[in-house]
Structures are given as C-alpha cells and as structure tokens.
Amino acid sequence: MGLLKKLFGKPLDELTAPVAGNAVPVSQVPDPTFAEELLGKGIAIEPTEGKIFAPCDGTVDMMFETGHAVSLVADFGAEILIHVGLETVSLKGKHFTIHAANGDKVKKGDLLIEFDLDAIKAEGFNTITPMLVCNSADYNTFKTNVGKAVTNNDVVIELSK
C-alpha cells in the first residue's frame, strides 16, 4: 500500500451532493457571485427534493438563522458554503426547517436543513443550490462531477492539496 501511495499520491477528498437533483456547473447559476466563482469554486444542483445533507464529515461553522444557507468546515479542511436558492434570504426563514446548529459536529449524510421546494418555487424564487469550496485556492486538484442526476450519496467534488 505504501508503494501505491508514493506512486499515486494521497487519495482525493470527496464531497457528496448536499441535495438530490441535477448537478450542473456553477457557471450556470444565474447570479454572478456564484457563477464567476467570487466565493470559490464549486457546483450547483437543481433540486428535486427539499433536504440538505452534510456532504462530508465536519463542523457546522455557521447555520444562517433563516435556514437558507449553511457553512461547514470539513474534517479535511475545506470551507464549504451551501446556499439554497437565489435571494431566498428574503423569505426570512419561511419554508425552511433547521436541523443543525453552529458548532455541531456532523457526519456525511446528516440532515442539516429541510425546505419546501414547491412553496419556494411558488413564491417565484429560483431554487438552484450552489455548493462552493470557499478556500478552493488551497487545493491543487479540484474536480467536479456534473451533468447528471445525483443523490446525497453521489460524489460531486473531488479535491486534494
């Protein structure tokens, strides 16, 4: 095993999809803050259900009181932002249920947020959900797996320092 590690380097760290849906390049998010990677590289998902799961083991850095977004620090160091929809902060928490708090240790697949997808769409909001690695510049390798339907068990970002 040591020889393989020397030949091929350490394995890539992985982030799974935080929500079920269609994974697309972050450049397709109709908001320049996300699309132009101003906050970091990542992916986006057009959700088909209203549950946000932890994409890796880590710690909740900030759960927004409105439930529209959460930031996590992965055990391997990635600083992750998951943002449900666009401009959804203006809903002031309506249609969102929070299941984690600041400082909580979470495991990959833990439920973080539930949201009423249909109600948010009915209010006219785009529900595309970006997941960004805010410290993506720290990683030499950054691969995204997009262009397909995903569940929270599917790896959508692979990275290594």
Side-chain angles (χ1 to χ4, degrees):
M1 184 82 166
L3 178 62
L4 289 177
K5 197 168 188 177
K6 285 181 184 175
L7 289 174
F8 299 108
K10 82 175 205 140
L12 297 176
D13 291 312
E14 298 177 335
L15 299 176
T16 57
V19 63
N22 186 38
V24 298
V26 76
S27 61
Q28 290 185 15
V29 177
D31 180 315
T33 301
F34 298 112
E36 295 173 14
E37 300 179 336
L38 298 178
L39 299 175
K41 294 179 182 180
I43 56 104
I45 297 175
E46 297 163 340
T48 54
E49 69 174 33
K51 293 181 180 180
I52 299 294
F53 298 97
C56 60
D57 295 351
T59 304
V60 175
D61 184 48
M62 183 175 180
M63 174 62 73
F64 290 72
E65 64 184 31
T66 55
H68 79 285
V70 60
S71 66
L72 308 163
V73 177
D75 286 350
F76 59 84
E79 298 169 3
I80 303 154
L81 173 66
I82 303 167
H83 194 284
V84 180
L86 303 179
E87 304 300 329
T88 50
V89 66
S90 64
L91 289 169
K92 299 180 180 165
K94 186 172 153 188
H95 310 305
F96 291 91
T97 303
I98 297 169
H99 292 279
N102 295 347
D104 283 359
K105 292 289 290 172
V106 295
K107 294 285 185 192
K108 181 175 76 170
D110 285 354
L111 181 63
L112 302 176
I113 301 168
E114 285 183 281
F115 59 99
D116 187 330
L117 183 62
D118 294 332
I120 293 169
K121 285 180 180 179
E123 293 212 29
F125 291 90
N126 185 329
T127 57
I128 195 164
T129 299
M131 178 172 71
L132 307 176
V133 176
C134 297
N135 62 336
S136 55
D138 293 349
Y139 293 89
N140 295 321
T141 302
F142 196 96
K143 297 178 185 178
T144 60
N145 302 312
V146 295
K148 62 184 178 180
V150 295
T151 69
N152 69 302
N153 292 317
D154 294 314
V155 174
V156 291
I157 296 176
E158 298 173 280
L159 44 107
S160 70
K161 290 186 175 189

